[in-house]
């Protein structure tokens, strides 16, 4: 197929060039209404914010340009079927789990998963068995699951319906999971992969392999993470006949907006074409830019750690927590992906040969960056929390729905069962899961994160040093 084509972009351009008069939604009328209220750049953008009009197809029943775009996507990633997602990888994770599993199914779940995975488990009323990831001492973050942990889980639960993995990790850990997928397949389990941070792996060469090439059944990509797609632009790929396409499409329609964003869909079309056109020369350009970025950080006295995913870098400085270091960078106009108590994570651009503007801007910003040394200071300790290699919730989701709750002091919480998720955000990986028994270690890690200024999703009374638990 001609991967240089962008059917949705072409359809939008054709429609806009006709200078249509809008008597349809949305209310901005192609950017012509409320002229005095909108910045000029916004008004130009709004011309692309259209709806399901003649010639523009329908995401939930595609027959034209959207169908062509999804066919090109499937061709690029070599899948049986691929879908454009306008509600992010969150909706992809919800869809793949709810479509692949039935209520009560036992599923293996990598514990350092995104919160959307846990939401899907709870909504579908599954029986999760959590697999403890290995701690990556180099990246100072949770990594992938060990093959022996997976084998241990199958010895205890030989009829598990699915194995749900996160690959790569948010921090760029991307060790091969091919053996783990093969192990799951030998037990006739489905393999569902949240590969949100790996849409660029299709570029090959310097990139790790995608789980699509390792035998995963369903894979979700956040195209907006590294590819040039708009925020919330993602892909869902089906690579197996073992998952019902009709069930997938039902949940996609049920969970996604019935008024899909054409700018997001157009950006997904462009991102796919961009990835398809990525050449060896472009890879060289990206690696050169990456090397120059590392040099810029090091020239400012910063330690640089390089994960397996070349589009991620981790930055540290002795005496600084990640939060403090992030503040110093932001003061110079340099904004990073996330900070934790130890370090800062950066997501790098995927650049093509001839593109110079990004690195030119970087050089200018780094010229204003100055981070003073700290005397006799040490970095904050990592927030490593250990769990059993294979574990389950203390209360099933069905049991949780029947239990009353109460709010107690964090000092009293060890030994109680959490009734809410507490999620440092970003990255959106739960520290505490609803239904699990709290430990002194977990409470201690939570308090350290709070003291460091971490932003949380969940834990609505953490400011009062309280947490909600089940009254059991």
């Amino acid at each position: 197929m001609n991967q240089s084509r962008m059917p949705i972009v072409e359809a939008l351009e054709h429609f806009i060039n006709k200078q249509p008069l809008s008597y349809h939604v949305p209310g901005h009328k192609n950017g012509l209404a409320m002229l005095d209220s909108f910045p000029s750049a916004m008004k130009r953008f709004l011309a692309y914010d259209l709806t399901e009009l003649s010639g523009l197809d329908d995401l939930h029943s595609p027959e034209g340009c959207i169908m062509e775009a999804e066919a090109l996507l499937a061709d690029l990633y070599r899948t049986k079927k691929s879908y454009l997602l306008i509600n992010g990888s969150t909706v992809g994770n919800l869809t793949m789990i709810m479509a692949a599993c039935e209520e009560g199914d036992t599923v293996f779940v990598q514990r350092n998963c995104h919160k959307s995975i846990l939401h899907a488990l709870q909504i579908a009323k599954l029986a999760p068995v959590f697999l403890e990831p290995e701690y990556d001492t180099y990246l100072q973050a949770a990594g992938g699951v060990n093959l022996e942990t997976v084998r241990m889980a199958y010895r205890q639960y030989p009829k598990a319906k699915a194995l749900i993995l996160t690959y790569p990790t948010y921090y760029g850990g991307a060790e091969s999971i091919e053996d783990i997928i093969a192990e799951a397949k030998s037990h006739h389990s489905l393999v569902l992969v949240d590969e949100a941070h790996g849409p660029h792996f299709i570029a090959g060469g310097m990139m790790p392999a995608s789980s699509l090439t390792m035998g995963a059944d369903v894979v979700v990509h956040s195209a907006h993470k590294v590819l040039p797609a708009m925020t919330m632009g993602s892909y869902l790929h089906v690579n197996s006949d073992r998952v019902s396409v009709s069930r997938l499409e039902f949940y996609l329609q049920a969970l996604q907006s019935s008024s899909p964003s054409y700018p997001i869909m157009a950006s997904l079309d462009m991102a796919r074409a961009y990835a398809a056109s990525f050449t060896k020369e472009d890879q060289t350009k990206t690696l050169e830019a990456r090397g120059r970025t590392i040099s810029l950080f090091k020239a400012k006295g910063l330690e640089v750690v390089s994960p397996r995913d070349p589009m991620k870098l981790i930055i540290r400085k002795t005496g600084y927590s990640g939060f403090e270091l992030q503040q110093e960078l932001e003061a110079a106009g340099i904004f990073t992906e996330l900070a934790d108590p130890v370090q800062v994570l950066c997501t790098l651009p995927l650049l093509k040969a001839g593109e110079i503007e990004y690195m030119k801007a970087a050089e200018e910003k780094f010229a204003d960056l100055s981070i003073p040394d700290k005397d006799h200071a040490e970095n904050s300790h990592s927030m490593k929390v250990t769990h059993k290699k294979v574990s389950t919730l203390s209360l099933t989701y069905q049991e949780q729905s029947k239990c009353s709750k109460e709010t107690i002091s964090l000092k009293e919480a060890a030994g109680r069962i959490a009734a809410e998720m507490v999620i440092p955000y970003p990255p959106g990986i739960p520290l505490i899961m609803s239904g699990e028994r709290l430990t002194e270690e977990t409470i201690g890690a939570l308090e350290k994160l709070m003291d460091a200024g971490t932003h949380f999703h969940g834990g609505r009374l953490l400011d009062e040093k309280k947490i909600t638990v089940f009254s059991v």
Side-chain angles (χ1 to χ4, degrees), residues 214-410:
M214 303 180 202
D217 293 288
V218 186
V219 173
V220 175
H221 281 145
S222 283
H224 67 93
K225 301 295 188 190
V226 176
L227 300 183
M230 288 177 60
T231 298
M232 292 202 304
S234 296
Y235 303 134
L236 185 147
H237 307 284
V238 184
N239 206 27
S240 167
D241 294 325
R242 299 182 61 205
V243 178
S244 168
V245 167
S246 62
R247 280 176 63 90
L248 280 166
E249 292 180 351
F250 167 79
Y251 283 111
L252 286 175
Q253 291 195 39
L255 298 171
Q256 293 202 106
S257 174
S258 59
S259 300
S261 165
Y262 275 83
I264 292 176
M265 288 190 287
S267 75
L268 286 169
D269 204 15
M270 296 167 65
R272 184 266 315 152
Y274 189 90
S277 66
F278 210 72
T279 65
K280 289 184 178 179
E281 186 180 7
D282 298 330
Q283 292 186 30
T284 299
K285 170 66 176 181
T286 291
L287 287 178
E288 288 176 351
R290 181 178 185 274
R292 180 55 186 152
T293 301
I294 291 172
S295 296
L296 289 170
F297 277 118
K298 287 184 174 181
K300 300 298 181 177
L302 301 176
E303 176 190 357
V304 180
V305 176
S306 298
R308 176 70 181 87
D309 178 359
M311 307 317 295
K312 297 288 178 74
L313 288 179
I314 292 171
I315 311 301
R316 302 173 188 148
K317 185 173 177 65
T318 300
Y320 285 80
S321 72
F323 301 109
E324 293 170 332
L325 183 54
Q326 186 180 57
Q327 289 175 356
E328 295 285 345
L329 292 167
E330 289 180 357
I334 300 169
F335 288 79
T336 56
E337 182 68 24
L338 67 82
D340 67 27
V342 178
Q343 57 205 357
V344 169
L345 177 67
C346 301
T347 299
L348 303 182
L350 200 64
L351 299 176
K352 296 180 75 68
E355 294 180 357
I356 61 172
E357 291 302 314
Y358 184 87
M359 288 310 301
K360 180 180 177 182
E363 299 272 359
E364 293 174 355
K365 292 295 184 184
F366 272 89
D368 296 330
L369 177 64
S370 178
I371 303 177
D373 292 334
K374 289 187 177 182
D375 295 330
H376 309 297
E378 296 181 359
N379 286 354
S380 301
H381 295 295
S382 70
M383 292 295 106
K384 180 182 178 182
V385 179
T386 57
H387 304 87
K388 292 180 179 179
K389 288 294 184 182
V390 178
S391 64
T392 58
L393 296 175
S394 295
L395 288 176
T396 68
Y397 294 125
Q398 290 86 341
E399 290 170 336
Q400 291 179 45
S401 66
K402 299 174 183 177
C403 291
S404 59
K405 304 174 184 178
E406 60 181 310
T407 300
I408 63 173
S409 166
L410 286 176

Side-chain angles (χ1 to χ4, degrees), residues 24-38:
H24 56 76
V25 297
H28 58 68
K29 305 303 177 188
N30 304 339
L32 295 177
M34 298 177 283
L35 291 177
D36 295 335
S37 306
F38 284 56

